[in-house]
Amino acid sequence: RILGQKFNLRSDQSEDRMKEIAAYVDGQIQEVLSKSPGISALNAAILASLNIAGQYYSLKQDQDEAAVRISHKAEILSSLFE
């Protein structure tokens, strides 16, 4: 449930995983609602979506940077065995 509404979703993810995701999204919207009294549910959902997207892109950048560091270290280790 998100904002008290039940959604029928189809996904490759498990039902439990989808419930976790829905709970996370609902929590993010509720957080926006609690910090912005009087905001509409639609605007809260949009702001929560932007917050979630920002979190995603930050994590993706961290992952990409870590992959580059790991690749570089793997090249160094590989060169030691040549």
Side-chain angles (χ1 to χ4, degrees):
R1 291 186 176 266
I2 299 174
L3 291 178
Q5 283 190 276
K6 184 177 179 181
F7 292 87
N8 293 318
L9 304 172
R10 293 179 190 218
S11 175
D12 293 338
Q13 303 285 334
S14 70
E15 183 177 345
D16 287 341
R17 182 68 168 166
M18 291 306 299
K19 286 180 180 179
E20 289 175 23
I21 292 168
Y24 181 77
V25 170
D26 186 62
Q28 292 293 303
I29 295 170
Q30 295 297 341
E31 184 177 332
V32 171
L33 287 169
S34 72
K35 292 181 179 179
S36 305
I39 191 171
S40 71
L42 175 61
N43 285 342
I46 291 168
L47 290 175
S49 296
L50 290 170
N51 290 339
I52 293 168
Q55 294 165 1
Y56 167 80
Y57 277 98
S58 180
L59 289 170
K60 178 144 179 30
Q61 182 178 4
D62 291 348
Q63 181 183 15
D64 291 345
E65 290 169 0
V68 168
R69 286 192 307 274
I70 290 169
S71 178
H72 178 71
K73 289 181 180 187
E75 288 175 13
I76 292 170
L77 286 171
S78 179
S79 70
L80 293 175
F81 293 103
E82 291 177 354

